[in-house]
Amino acid sequence: MEITPTGLVDACGGADNVRRALRHQDKVIIELIELERVNQDVLPISTIDHSLRQITLDQPVSQGALTALGRVIDHNLREQAAPFYSPSQKTDFHRPGWHISPPQGLLNDPNGFIYFQGHYHLFYQWYPFACEHKDKFWVHLISPDGVQWHTAPLGLTPSDWYDSHGVFSGHAMVMNDALWLYYTGNTRIGPERLRQTTQCVARSSDGIHFEKLGPVIDAPPAGVTEHIRDPKVIHDGQHYRMLLGAQREDKIGRLAQYSSADGLTWHYDGLSGDSLGEHGYMWECPDLFQLSDQWLCILCPQGSPSPTPDHQVPHHNGYAKATLEADGITLDNWQVLDHGFDFYAPQTAQTPDNKRMLIAWMGLPDEVEQPSLSAGWLHQLTCPRELRWENGQIYQRPAAALQSLRGPQQLLVINPECHSTTVDLGTKQFELNTTLPIPTSGHYTLYFHSRSGMMTPASSGKPSGCALTIDGDSRTLTLDRSASLAKEGDTRRCIHLPEPLEDLPLQVLADTSSLEFFIAGGQWTMTSRYFSAIDATFFALTRDRHDTPLPKEMNWYALKNASVR
Ligand code: FRU
């Protein structure tokens, strides 16, 4: 006889004893807190894994009973995560003042970024219980302007048999006045941690409470490994299209494409991306949108060839022009989106006035040894950026709403006679605007988050801080973060400055442990976390020769805290 939902939970030893549900080859697996509490007279068990505390049931379980089990686990997980979800966490001196960072635990990709019923909704990947990449939740934030956010009830928890090792990344869609979340369900089976991937849907009519509808794609297509994830769904005027980051069986990254008439039943249309050649072993986090009538596809290839010897980490970001065809898309003209260190898995949303706003993860997949670990949190998101399509490329500028954080405008005067200038800004939260002259020869360096601009022996006579050097001989702009307190990741990034550019407008957004550089009106951006001492509130500037031209003046604003941080 089929077991009832309550009968199943009771036989497992009660709601508080159920930890995780899984399904593998039609067998239901349940992970328990205490194996001894299971009632084997009611629940026939075929195998018990004592180290994982998992039982494999010897009888089929109805969809209703599995769903009910998911709701019980969801309740448990929300209770367990609640102490780590309070927005009023202790601050520490690396905690951003106005960027989004996790209250506790690890943050990674932004998810489900969308404007719905008068507000921006933004979710992010979160593991509450430690600064580790484990079973991910979706945190949910809501904002009127993309800057001041408030924390909504937790969006999604890894509660169900199809997502119990992580509600992985995905996007949101508005369909029939409801908010739909498409995401990847990640599960791992057995001690071998065999990966099982599904693409799932959750729906909400009020934008607060989500009902999981389960998998709409329950296995990878032929020729693709279980590394297929991060659904992006659009409506192209005729039907829905889903793009997924994917890995071919020969370990080549590609995009998988599906189409659907109703957003629920999906047809596999094949892989795209051959036109970009061999471009890494896996593509993650695609986004697809239009800017000034040009379709663009952002994605994050892993393991693609390094553009320079400075770039040692395997994680890349970029975009290609996309042409939408009846049964797929063609990509061409690959370009890097952000030239800094910490920029991954960006997502965009359409604003009510038809602009495109982007937010990315300010971090990278393998980098976890950061100084904020001791305070129990890790990583942050970038500021919201407005995108434009200009001169055949994406330009990124800070969203206009960020100006609401500005204090009074202040002038930073550079003495043209001096070899070096040092100014205590008294804060690590600021916006700085200037124009950098590109010298015909020689170089000068701007130091941010510097410690009294002091020349330390360790830095061989240079001021401390994150260094931005503009060099006229090589016509390069170099960002060097080797003085960061974080000892992981690349430390140098370089942009070539094409002729006939003579001046370089620069806007810098600084927050306690990060710097975002918007160069030449957003033609290039360089994004970097930068961990420094509590008193590293100085700005410094040095030049190699007394006749190297310097920026004449800089204006800057201290930036206030935002509501979620
Ligand atoms: C990118 C990523 C995604 C995945 C998520 C899991 O950072 O690996 O591909 O869905 O993180 O947290």
Side-chain angles (χ1 to χ4, degrees), residues 2-64:
E2 201 171 80
I3 193 155
T4 64
T6 353
L8 179 61
V9 174
D10 288 348
C12 285
D16 63 338
N17 199 36
V18 199
R19 189 173 214 161
R20 192 194 303 277
L22 292 159
R23 201 161 79 179
H24 181 54
Q25 294 168 349
D26 286 337
K27 292 266 185 206
V28 170
I29 303 166
I30 302 177
E31 190 172 312
L32 302 166
I33 311 275
E34 292 172 23
L35 283 172
E36 312 72 59
R37 281 164 67 183
V38 81
N39 183 346
Q40 291 201 45
D41 297 335
V42 181
L43 207 57
I45 291 172
S46 61
T47 49
I48 301 185
D49 183 318
H50 287 271
S51 62
L52 293 175
R53 291 203 295 268
Q54 291 181 350
I55 52 173
T56 303
L57 305 192
D58 205 14
Q59 72 171 58
V61 175
S62 70
Q63 194 53 52

Side-chain angles (χ1 to χ4, degrees), residues 108-109 125 133 136 168-169 229-230 284-285 344-345 361 365:
N108 56 302
D109 314 350
Q125 291 280 284
H133 284 283
K136 300 288 168 63
F168 272 13
S169 287
R229 53 182 173 261
D230 313 332
E284 295 190 312
C285 302
Y344 202 70
W361 173 22

Side-chain angles (χ1 to χ4, degrees), residues 141-174:
L141 303 173
I142 301 179
S143 167
D145 59 0
V147 175
Q148 304 291 347
W149 296 92
H150 75 261
T151 310
L154 260 177
L156 301 171
T157 71
S159 51
D160 286 80
W161 61 269
Y162 44 82
D163 61 16
S164 69
H165 286 87
V167 182
F168 272 13
S169 287
H171 284 257
M173 255 308 272
V174 178

